Amino acid sequence: MVYTVNKVISYEEKIVNRTMKNKFLEIAIKAVNKACVVTRKVQADLTRIQQLEKNDKSPVTVADFAAQAVVTHVLEGALGKIKLVGEESSGELRLPDQQTLCQSVVKATQTVWAEATIEQVLDAIDLGDHNASGSSYWTLDPIDGTKGFLRGGQYAVSLAFIENGEVILGVLGCPNLSSDFDRLFSDPDPQGLIYFAVAGEGSWFIPANAQNTEAERLEVTQNEGLIRICESVESGHSKHDDTTRIVDRLGGAGESARLDSQCKYAVVARGQADAYLRLPTRADYVEKIWDHAGGMLVAQEAGMIVTDIVGKPLDFSQGAGLKNNRGVICASPKFHGQIIATIRDLGIA
Ligand code: AMP
Ligand code: MG
């Protein structure tokens, strides 16, 4: 598969590890692309998606496991031994009473990794067991927005590389996101998009599952009108009432758009909304790195500002959780400061 990734990188001659980053990017895009093929196939038969409930009551499906197996398999096949902090692990799938689900995961994985055996798939899932103690590692949410995935809506395959606490590469597969801004988020696009970014080198996108495509760079023009906001569908993930209070103060352009997953970062990065608000619903919730790393870099490299609700940068040096932050505000420079000030004035932070 040939992307214009080389072109993306080549103008920045001074970058240290340029060749490494270029290779990582190409492999990461390939891995996410293949995972999207699997998730799309599973989602095509919505009513039959097999799933489990995790300890925290969140769902995990056949496609979450299969996508993690595919991504780690592709990365390790191309790069050798990897460290990856993944959202899923194979524990449940190894239990005797979960063998039907396990077989389905293997079958889904075989869509793009034809000869995969049960043991290989389980081991590949567990390549995502790094505890974020290394100085550099990958992080993966194989299906971010699983609830959206299950309702036939938006979800993302999010892969990022973190080095010394900095996110330096992010690839965000958005299989149901349309390039047509008028298409409802609840109406899945037949092709979808993959956004990617390398620190210091901009944000780019290609159609998902396309061969030999030229990547296009995101170039956002400033919105001169009222603020347009997006947020989670799930009121348990972001406090909708607080969004309303903020919008009432700022004078919003209408209803906030609601969609699941890190696709929200892409929606802001491409100028379809001016801000993504993630306002804490609980004092003790710690955001996970895999829920933000890929999306954050795509938004930042498109010129957006990403912080927590008090305006602090997201701190990726604290292991698998963003312990030093609460909530997330991703917004264009024009609106970011106003949002942080409003949050402070309203006593939300
Ligand atoms: P979204 O699709 O934006 O609603 O976000 C989905 C992500 O929310 C999942 O991947 C979960 O890890 C995460 N999540 C679960 N519980 C919470 C919570 N209480 N606050 C914020 N995020 C949460
Ligand atoms: Mg997630």
Side-chain angles (χ1 to χ4, degrees), residues 65-88:
F65 291 118
Q68 181 154 321
V70 166
V71 169
T72 63
H73 176 65
V74 173
L75 292 181
E76 198 157 80
L79 303 172
K81 187 121 190 67
I82 53 161
K83 287 182 186 151
L84 185 140
V85 184
E87 179 165 15
E88 310 306 339

Side-chain angles (χ1 to χ4, degrees), residues 173-223:
C174 305
N176 285 346
L177 194 62
S178 180
S179 52
D180 174 5
F181 287 11
D182 290 331
R183 194 177 183 116
L184 294 176
F185 293 127
S186 55
D187 181 12
D189 187 68
Q191 181 154 43
L193 294 159
I194 294 178
Y195 289 87
F196 58 90
V198 174
E201 294 170 30
S203 279
W204 304 76
F205 64 100
I206 49 173
N209 308 332
Q211 307 277 323
N212 304 331
T213 320
E214 293 258 316
E216 279 182 65
R217 189 170 187 157
L218 281 178
E219 285 176 51
V220 182
T221 49
Q222 185 161 288
N223 172 20

Side-chain angles (χ1 to χ4, degrees), residues 51-160:
Q51 55 180 292
L52 281 176
E53 192 173 81
K54 292 203 260 190
N55 291 340
D56 64 0
K57 303 271 180 223
S58 64
V60 55
T61 74
V62 156
D64 295 70
F65 291 118
Q68 181 154 321
V70 166
V71 169
T72 63
H73 176 65
V74 173
L75 292 181
E76 198 157 80
L79 303 172
K81 187 121 190 67
I82 53 161
K83 287 182 186 151
L84 185 140
V85 184
E87 179 165 15
E88 310 306 339
S89 61
S90 76
E92 295 266 10
L93 297 178
R94 293 181 191 267
L95 299 176
D97 61 342
Q98 292 298 351
Q99 288 319 292
T100 309
L101 177 67
C102 184
Q103 295 287 352
S104 302
V105 171
V106 175
K107 197 160 167 250
T109 308
Q110 286 169 342
T111 312
V112 293
W113 175 11
E115 71 285 5
T117 64
I118 294 184
E119 270 317 307
Q120 284 174 322
V121 170
L122 295 175
D123 289 349
I125 293 169
D126 287 338
L127 285 175
D129 68 356
H130 182 59
N131 62 5
S133 61
S135 60
S136 60
Y137 44 82
W138 296 91
T139 187
L140 170 71
D141 195 338
I143 295 193
D144 180 41
T146 307
K147 289 184 177 171
F149 179 75
L150 285 166
R151 15 173 133 79
Q154 299 298 328
Y155 66 96
V157 178
S158 180
L159 177 65

